[in-house]
Amino acid sequence: MLDQSLDIRAERLNERYRHHAATEVLRRAVTDPDLGKVALVSSFGAESVVLLHMVSIVAPGLPVLFIDTQMLFPETLEYQREVSAKLGLTDVRVIRADEAQVSRLDPDGTLHQFNQDACCDLRKTVPLETALSGFDAWITGRKRFQGGQRTDLDFFEPEPPLRLRVNPLAHWRMEDVQTYMTENNLPRHPLVAKGYPSIGCAPCTSPVKPGEDPRAGRWRGSDKSECGIHFIGGRMVRGKVPA
């Protein structure tokens, strides 16, 4: 039975893996009894292929949860199918919002125009929470170099009340991501070459100009900076999760 003290488990895991490389963190984490049942959550976005490739090597049968908000770019949906097949991932689960809830809360698909957080909650947060209900931990692609409160990310962090999050790439630099893709000849998301270094839903993502922050094209014109999967207890969580 898992120790229900998330802080203690996260601290113990961080100490255990403090000097490990990302691939080893991932390799060991998927079987570590202190983590329990684990899934990878992937957006199949601009940098997602790195973790997906690592998983295909160390645990190709690991559940991969892909949230289809039904507002994604067609290129993302095609990329998801292409990468899943190329890497031989055998348990990719496409997660969508409950149709009845969408019909009730966003019948004409315009919720994002006047309440982006509510749209994220409906199409991302709630479906993901439901999909993760059978898991003790989930793997993310968040990294310190992405800035904000992510600058002090650890490999493992508590997600109250019952789960842990695993961030194998927490200490990677942007150069590390690009080098890994090149050295392993991994397919790039087609929108990256069109000026989209960070890719979300089509209505809320725009190209980024030279010199802009890579995430400047997400929710442009608003103060929103994170997608809905990092809501906890109704609050947006942008960095380390508070106990």
Side-chain angles (χ1 to χ4, degrees):
M1 181 176 178
L2 290 173
D3 181 348
Q4 293 304 302
S5 174
L6 295 181
D7 287 335
I8 292 175
R9 284 168 54 204
E11 182 178 357
R12 185 165 61 219
L13 287 160
N14 279 315
E15 183 60 32
R16 186 180 307 161
Y17 296 113
R18 188 165 304 280
H19 302 296
H20 285 66
T23 304
E24 278 305 299
V25 170
L26 184 62
R27 184 191 306 277
R28 295 171 181 267
V30 296
T31 58
D32 194 310
D34 271 340
L35 278 169
K37 191 176 180 182
V38 182
L40 167 66
V41 175
S42 180
S43 66
F44 285 80
E47 299 173 350
S48 300
V49 72
V50 171
L51 270 181
L52 291 165
H53 180 258
M54 289 182 180
V55 165
S56 74
I57 294 172
V58 306
L62 188 78
V64 176
L65 310 184
F66 169 61
I67 307 173
D68 177 7
T69 64
Q70 298 179 294
M71 287 191 167
L72 298 176
F73 288 95
E75 291 91 338
T76 297
L77 298 175
E78 178 57 32
Y79 184 65
Q80 183 266 313
R81 292 187 287 266
E82 174 195 350
V83 170
S84 299
K86 181 180 178 65
L87 298 183
L89 301 170
T90 60
D91 191 4
V92 177
R93 307 179 187 183
V94 180
I95 311 302
R96 298 186 179 94
D98 178 76
E99 291 185 8
Q101 285 291 87
V102 172
S103 295
R104 183 172 68 87
L105 299 174
D106 191 15
D108 57 359
T110 61
L111 180 60
H112 67 278
Q113 295 179 7
F114 54 89
N115 194 331
Q116 294 169 330
D117 283 346
C119 186
C120 281
D121 189 59
L122 170 66
R123 296 178 179 274
K124 295 180 182 178
T125 310
V126 173
L128 179 61
E129 183 63 29
T130 301
L132 283 173
S133 61
F135 294 95
D136 305 299
W138 58 290
I139 300 163
T140 89
R142 295 183 306 149
K143 311 163 193 71
R144 290 185 174 188
F145 77 73
Q146 291 169 325
Q149 294 181 22
R150 298 184 180 195
T151 54
D152 60 352
L153 277 180
D154 287 323
F155 285 137
F156 302 91
E157 56 181 334
E159 181 183 275
L162 296 174
R163 277 192 298 272
L164 289 172
R165 287 197 286 192
V166 188
N167 310 303
L169 307 181
H171 305 287
W172 276 33
R173 302 166 300 167
M174 185 181 297
E175 297 80 13
D176 299 325
V177 174
Q178 298 304 317
T179 298
Y180 188 95
M181 289 184 184
T182 300
E183 290 182 348
N184 290 282
N185 194 29
L186 299 178
R188 308 298 178 100
H189 194 298
L191 289 179
V192 172
K194 298 180 180 180
Y196 294 82
S198 181
I199 303 161
C201 293
C204 299
T205 308
S206 59
V208 171
K209 300 174 183 177
E212 284 190 309
D213 183 275
R215 291 179 65 84
R218 303 290 296 276
W219 308 286
R220 190 181 291 279
S222 75
D223 60 359
K224 185 175 172 63
S225 63
E226 285 282 0
C227 63
I229 66 172
H230 300 301
F231 276 108
I232 295 178
R235 292 191 300 118
M236 184 76 78
V237 177
R238 293 183 171 85
K240 289 185 69 175
V241 179

